[in-house]
Amino acid sequence: MTQKNINDMLTSYDKKNLTICTVCSHSSLQIFNGARKEGFKTIGISVGEKKKFYDAFPLGKPDEFFIVNNYKDILKCTEELREKNAIIIPHGSFVEYLGADKFLELNLPTFGNRNVLSWESDRKKERIWLEGAGITMPQEIKDPKFIDKPVIVKYHGAKGGKGFFIAKTYEEFKKRIKKGKPYTIQEFVMGTRYYLHYFYSPIQDNAYKLKKGSLQLLSMDRRDETTIDEVQRLGSIAELEELGIHPTFVVTGNIPIVMRESLLPQVFKMGEGVVEKSLELFGGVIGSFCLETVVTEDLEFKVFEISARIVAGTNPYISGSPYSELIQSNMSTGRRIAQEIKYASKKNLLDKILT
Ligand code: AMP
């Protein structure tokens, strides 16, 4: 999908009747709610049937359900969605269910820069981007024989931390590793986790100013991960491991959090670096992105991952966070996305935020 295709598509769109469209999952309640607050119509793409639980949340329910047999069928329905002036808001499940390749092919205007995908999903490129942005990442251990401190082993493409494990020695690593699955070994960073939700606008200058556009911090969360976060109720990790019970890192929810105020300058410095480097590498990470961090006892950030779109960690903040309340009352990330689209449409700048 080239930018020219998207721009041509946009010329045929009725700008007074744009529709915000996403897959019914992940953060869709928030996206529909935010779009509604900004006066947009909404479409929820759903597989098989309309999802009944949306009836229980009228302010987060899409105006229209768009039913497909399976996610891949979205690609066949793009004409119909274009007639509805649909703008796609991608989220983690949207990209995962459709598949990254198909997401890149999707013939519809999509919020954010789709070029980010290859930089985010390839761990080597992600490191070039983030370290190039001046960020400290956990050390990578190239050869398991050199494990001499706690490490976390991550299988490539594993979603939601599934299958990840901690090892403290090479022996432990050998016992746990699944053969034939590509993996990365990272130093296990000791500290407290903060998942920082930023919003970068390349077209507005009314926040933390960057060389081009401006940056906001909308909220932050801590993930609730099963079983690692509660395993101590049964005994120490070491005790349990002796019995063959290993902690897992599967995300089941998100907990709201704020951080000590003196750390905020570092938060903005990291966000600034990430955006400036992304502009240089692939035209910029546009809109929402999240840095997944650990703060060490020396109050230093280590960033172990980036997500380049709205993350589910923004869901506790449908009516605003302690940070977004200092920007505008009652503003979620979903609403901020809708505002950006509204502003761009008014100023004829949609091609700067949609790809
Ligand atoms: P990820 O899929 O990279 O987001 O990792 C899943 C979970 O594993 C995170 O939410 C953290 O709880 C944990 N984790 C990942 N990388 C590290 C690291 N280098 N040090 C400590 N914990 C980590």
Side-chain angles (χ1 to χ4, degrees):
M1 191 44 39
T2 67
Q3 190 61 38
K4 181 163 182 321
N5 289 139
I6 297 295
N7 295 352
D8 288 348
M9 229 175 269
L10 285 170
T11 55
S12 69
Y13 266 37
D14 175 0
K15 306 288 186 317
K16 294 212 163 54
N17 281 304
L18 295 175
T19 317
I20 298 288
C21 177
T22 196
V23 161
C24 289
S25 181
H26 189 270
S27 45
S28 64
L29 287 165
Q30 184 198 153
I31 292 171
F32 297 138
N33 176 261
R36 183 183 283 264
K37 281 176 180 154
E38 292 301 317
F40 285 103
K41 282 239 150 34
T42 52
I43 298 175
I45 301 174
S46 183
V47 168
E49 53 178 7
K50 95 184 184 53
K51 299 275 180 287
K52 196 171 169 207
F53 79 88
Y54 283 82
D55 290 340
F57 302 113
L59 300 183
K61 184 180 168 180
D63 294 304
E64 186 187 328
F65 282 98
F66 190 90
I67 309 295
V68 289
N69 290 329
N70 58 61
Y71 287 110
K72 307 280 184 277
D73 275 359
I74 300 171
L75 293 174
K76 297 185 197 149
C77 305
T78 50
E79 173 92 50
E80 215 179 313
L81 288 168
R82 278 198 296 278
E83 276 162 16
K84 296 174 191 283
N85 306 298
I87 291 177
I88 297 289
I89 314 297
H91 51 59
S93 305
F94 193 129
V95 178
E96 188 189 334
Y97 295 155
L98 196 59
D101 295 350
K102 298 273 181 277
F103 173 66
L104 290 174
E105 278 172 32
L106 187 67
N107 206 355
L108 285 166
T110 298
F111 182 69
N113 183 354
R114 279 190 259 187
N115 289 332
V116 73
L117 213 68
S118 71
W119 287 89
E120 177 195 20
S121 55
D122 177 328
R123 287 204 186 270
K124 278 201 191 99
K125 286 173 85 172
E126 183 188 40
R127 199 169 269 273
I128 292 171
W129 174 14
L130 296 183
E131 290 188 341
I135 272 172
T136 310
M137 292 186 75
Q139 184 200 348
E140 196 184 327
I141 288 93
K142 293 259 161 35
D143 184 336
K145 291 197 186 79
F146 297 130
I147 295 175
D148 59 357
K149 55 181 155 193
V151 297
I152 178 162
V153 182
K154 302 179 174 191
Y155 292 109
H156 292 185
K159 293 288 173 302
K162 215 164 168 41
F164 289 11
F165 66 92
I166 299 172
K168 290 172 279 315
T169 60
Y170 178 48
E171 296 310 311
E172 235 182 295
F173 169 87
K174 275 199 298 194
K175 264 195 226 149
R176 302 286 315 277
I177 192 72
K178 293 208 174 67
K179 294 231 160 54
K181 284 175 108 184
Y183 60 83
T184 308
I185 308 174
Q186 264 182 15
E187 149 200 21
F188 188 92
V189 183
M190 234 84 79
T192 44
R193 289 168 298 130
Y194 292 85
Y195 299 74
L196 311 170
H197 316 141
Y198 298 88
F199 191 95
Y200 168 59
S201 169
I203 55 174
Q204 298 199 60
D205 279 328
N206 53 358
Y208 183 93
K209 287 197 183 30
L210 305 185
K211 277 190 203 123
K212 178 185 167 196
S214 61
L215 184 68
Q216 292 171 324
L217 173 74
L218 294 185
S219 49
M220 54 185 78
D221 78 299
R222 175 163 304 160
R223 286 186 187 162
D224 211 10
E225 294 173 327
T226 186
T227 57
I228 183 88
D229 291 338
E230 298 263 8
V231 77
Q232 72 285 351
R233 299 176 92 191
L234 201 58
S236 75
I237 291 181
E239 255 176 293
L240 295 170
E241 289 202 316
E242 271 181 29
L243 300 171
I245 303 169
H246 303 286
T248 53
F249 293 84
V250 178
V251 182
T252 53
N254 302 86
I255 304 163
I257 202 162
V258 288
M259 71 173 37
R260 44 194 288 182
E261 200 166 306
S262 58
L263 292 172
L264 290 178
Q266 280 191 74
V267 167
F268 278 94
K269 197 160 169 283
M270 290 192 300
E272 176 169 11
V274 166
V275 173
E276 304 284 10
K277 193 70 193 173
S278 73
L279 286 165
E280 195 185 304
L281 293 173
F282 56 84
V285 54
I286 296 166
S288 333
F289 68 96
C290 171
L291 291 183
E292 303 178 13
T293 75
V294 177
V295 182
T296 67
E297 61 187 332
D298 301 320
L299 299 181
E300 280 168 4
F301 283 86
K302 292 208 180 171
V303 176
F304 55 88
E305 188 90 86
I306 182 166
S307 287
R309 60 197 59 73
I310 184 170
V311 289
T314 60
N315 283 336
Y317 305 112
I318 286 198
S319 45
S321 81
Y323 300 102
S324 69
E325 279 295 299
L326 302 172
I327 303 170
Q328 185 192 328
S329 188
N330 201 16
M331 184 173 69
S332 64
T333 292
R335 185 173 187 184
R336 180 66 190 85
I337 291 171
Q339 283 181 350
E340 189 77 348
I341 292 169
K342 198 160 143 185
Y343 177 87
S345 174
K346 211 159 84 193
K347 302 276 175 189
N348 217 5
L349 293 170
L350 280 173
D351 60 326
K352 303 284 181 281
I353 59 162
L354 305 177
T355 59

